[in-house]
Amino acid sequence: MKTLLLQNWKFTLNADDAPIKSIDMWQPDADDSQWQDVVVPHDWAVTLPFSTANSSGTGYLPGGTGWYRTAFTVPSGWNGESAFIHFDGVYKNSQVWCNGYYLGKRPFGYANFKYDISHCLREGDNILAVKVTHEDIADSRWYTGSGIYRKVFVRFYDPVYIDETTVFVRSGSANDESPADADVIISGKVHCGNMADTGALRITARLTAAEGKTFGAEILLAPCTEPCTAKTCKVPFEMTVPVSKPQLWSPDSPNLYTLNLEIHAEGTKEPLSAIPPLRTGIRSFSFDPDRGFFLNGKSMKMRGVCVHHDAGCLGAAVWPDVWRRRLEKLKAAGCNAIRMSHNPHMEELYDLCDEIGFLVIDEAFDEWEGCKNKWWQGHNVYPPKHQGYAEDFIEWHERDLAAMVVRDRNHPSVIMWSIGNEIDYPNDPYVHPLFMEMTGNNDANKPAAERQYNRNKPNMERLATIAANLARIVKQHDTTRPVTLAAAFPELSSRLGFYDALDVVGYNYKEQFYGEDHKRFPALPIMGSENSHSLDAWKAVRDNDYISSQFLWTGIDYLGEAHGWPIRCSGAGILDTAGNEKTAFYRRKALWTDIPMLYLATRLKPESEESKQPRYEGEIPPWHLFRCWDYLPGKIIEVACYTNLNEAELFCNGKSLGKGKRGDDSTCILWTIPFERGEISVRGIGADVTDTLESTLPPVQLRLSKWQPAGSGQTAVQNGQYRIIQIEAELLDENGRLCVRGNSGVFITLNGPARFLGMENGDIADCTEYRSATRRLNQGRLIIYALIDTAVKEHCTLTASVPGIAPTDITLNT
């Protein structure tokens, strides 16, 4: 088995206006010499300007119709019968041709899919053409991206092979924290070719722990009684690998094993074929309706965040290391779970969750056959548009849902399959006469008429039937994980059979119903599937054994779902779109971690009572606080210290300003003091921890630092020929202190064969084009993304300059 990653493509946008019409572009001899050279993953929308002519829901970025073409050759020595082209995600309405042969289409932009290209292959160049149609840009409530935004590869199979897409690995037993042994069960299908030539086949499995200890097993497959080919003969198998003293997988100890699965002719050492190495973990889990969630026999709370799939200026074309940087930060905040909102994400993100240690809710759909409101001129600004997946759901839902489950079921991080998000949102579009008026959690400014029962809208009773069908599809492919969904209006949907097919039910912003519905559904586990950042929302999890989780909306700011120009993103995250920590990050860390921590943030005290509002559960809202000690002399400053300690003492220039205590219903200690240039510091009482804020001098340096992964940085996640470089830019004074009030423009130039992907500063109202070589700093920081070709040895450097400061150079390919 050989795998060829296809990263170098030709691309053109809206080519129907070009001299060559789109009807010709699938032909192998079409002229693409004037097209752009692009690297896949590729999202064309973020290369274009923001505009109010586009939809606010999808971030004011355009769609269009794009064409991609690439060429590849068959590997030398390949003599198999089967070859497939695999796509991990194309947004959307993709159509694919190989050497002029039409292979098919896939409307759903988040689905992984493959096509058999065995009959298309030829000597020399083989030409792939992909048409991507995304004209209905008000088709989502968040940013989707446009193009081939995930990896593409061709896989060439041997005459006899194990189909890796059928392989299913699961833990058979590991029901306590330190089991003496465990079973790993492996099943799949063998494409046998003509077994008359090989006789019986032997399948060997070898599981290798990180430190090198290996466990193995093998089974024999009897030969077929009739001649067959690899395409027609698919023999199922199942085998068990016993593992002694297994190292269990958990968020705290994400121990992984590597599975090597080979097929041999009987009596031979050299394999006929092998699947790519597959990482797996040994763990068990369960949900108890009264006691909550258990992992490896131990009770635990899921401290989760929801995430969308974009990364600021990269759009939907996110490289694995960008996710690694973000996940490492979320881990530091105490996060141990991720909800993939509201669609399957890139496969490499699940690999990273396995590796770093996050529990995962894998989610399939945001809408079923009823189309939700799509805001296109500002959030909740009527009238909405009604474009989206609903028009494809009936024909495609089974294939799309099965694709997610089959692709992701070998990840130990994945513990639940969510079949939908807020499908029961009131009047959007489902209604029921039990409620003559309904208001959802996100209905600010919604007209009264839109809250009323309207018999011409679809009846919510329909949802129970669809939920049962989706649960059935999931169980066809995996019975080891529960089926769930995220309910938006349980006060109605729970009375209409919506939960009947579920193993666990998730509630979005409905903590007030936890107690009542726990009594109404005593056998059904309930969890928080989407929650606000409020302390009360966390206390509902912390203080109730039967509630197993909280999933913040959101972990990271994301493009789209914009409230109105020039706001083009949602700012709900604890990390911004640049992947930098916001003040809310440290508030969450104070709630979710036990290691003593202190974090200082400040603001100028408001002069009027009106400007003091709103308070956030008795605290200053974290989005009003900054990491700054630079104010005008004599101004009154509010100082907040986020901490998980009970008491701390504040100092200004070495003088104590008194001790403060954190209340039981608070995450911070507050002081109000006059500004005095120098430094403030806080010292924990009962723990040897401190934090300091210093006044800064005028900036003199723009520091550029290449991000490096924590620890060894060893990973099985591969980028192929290219590597993304993440350069953190910080404006510093002569003492190396960050100038958080610095918002100068940064101008960059690249020297050498690197590709500039964009700059991101985390400011959700900055509408500078993402491919501009200039972007201003936000609180003294931004991040620069560049792509290098690892096969090119030519020296690559990046130069960044700020007005009045000497330019700074950094070497990219070292």
Side-chain angles (χ1 to χ4, degrees), residues 745-765:
V746 176
F747 177 76
I748 68 106
T749 56
L750 283 174
N751 305 293
R755 293 172 182 260
F756 172 61
L757 297 183
M759 289 187 280
E760 179 58 74
N761 61 13
D763 182 352
I764 64 176

Side-chain angles (χ1 to χ4, degrees), residues 302-320:
M302 283 180 273
R303 305 180 299 272
V305 298
C306 304
V307 296
H308 274 309
H309 72 155
D310 68 274
C313 65
L314 299 176
V318 187
W319 292 76

Side-chain angles (χ1 to χ4, degrees), residues 182-186 205-207 215-218 239-243 259 282:
D183 291 333
V184 174
I185 303 166
I186 305 162
R206 189 172 69 256
L207 273 176
F215 305 89
E218 64 178 49
M239 60 197 305
T240 298
V241 178
V243 179
L259 171 65
I282 299 173

Side-chain angles (χ1 to χ4, degrees), residues 236-357:
F237 70 90
E238 183 170 294
M239 60 197 305
T240 298
V241 178
V243 179
S244 61
K245 297 181 180 178
Q247 300 175 40
L248 301 186
W249 185 94
S250 71
D252 292 335
S253 300
N255 298 304
L256 294 171
Y257 291 79
T258 299
L259 171 65
N260 288 280
L261 198 60
E262 299 177 341
I263 188 164
H264 300 252
E266 189 175 10
T268 63
K269 284 188 175 182
E270 289 299 317
L272 296 171
S273 184
I275 69 167
L278 187 156
R279 292 193 305 175
T280 189
I282 299 173
R283 50 95 178 108
S284 66
F285 66 90
S286 63
F287 286 86
D288 184 279
D290 295 317
R291 298 185 299 152
F293 176 70
F294 289 78
L295 181 66
N296 301 326
K298 182 179 179 180
S299 174
M300 70 175 295
K301 298 289 188 180
M302 283 180 273
R303 305 180 299 272
V305 298
C306 304
V307 296
H308 274 309
H309 72 155
D310 68 274
C313 65
L314 299 176
V318 187
W319 292 76
D321 272 351
V322 175
W323 272 115
R324 176 181 286 279
R325 177 175 175 265
R326 293 169 162 217
L327 290 177
E328 287 180 356
K329 293 189 176 191
L330 291 173
K331 190 84 169 181
C335 178
N336 64 9
I338 302 289
R339 176 179 172 223
M340 304 293 184
S341 306
H342 301 295
N343 47 261
H345 285 230
M346 60 187 286
E347 186 176 21
E348 296 88 340
L349 178 53
Y350 301 81
D351 292 330
L352 289 169
C353 288
D354 293 342
E355 182 182 318
I356 298 173

Side-chain angles (χ1 to χ4, degrees), residues 722-775:
Y722 294 92
R723 181 161 64 93
I724 193 167
I725 308 297
Q726 302 176 79
I727 303 160
E728 297 169 331
E730 298 175 300
L731 191 65
L732 306 179
D733 70 5
E734 64 184 40
N735 295 312
R737 295 174 294 212
L738 180 68
C739 299
V740 297
R741 293 195 182 277
N743 60 358
S744 302
V746 176
F747 177 76
I748 68 106
T749 56
L750 283 174
N751 305 293
R755 293 172 182 260
F756 172 61
L757 297 183
M759 289 187 280
E760 179 58 74
N761 61 13
D763 182 352
I764 64 176
D766 185 345
C767 295
T768 306
E769 290 185 34
Y770 270 145
R771 287 302 184 267
S772 171
T774 301
R775 197 170 197 86

Side-chain angles (χ1 to χ4, degrees), residues 42 99 124 168 170 177 247 459 463 480 495 501 523 525 578 604 616 633 674 713 782 784 812:
H42 176 252
N99 292 329
F168 186 15
R170 60 255 190 222
E177 294 183 58
Q247 300 175 40
N459 191 309
L463 298 184
T480 69
R495 289 169 165 78
L604 183 67
Y616 192 68
L782 57 72
I784 306 165
L812 301 181

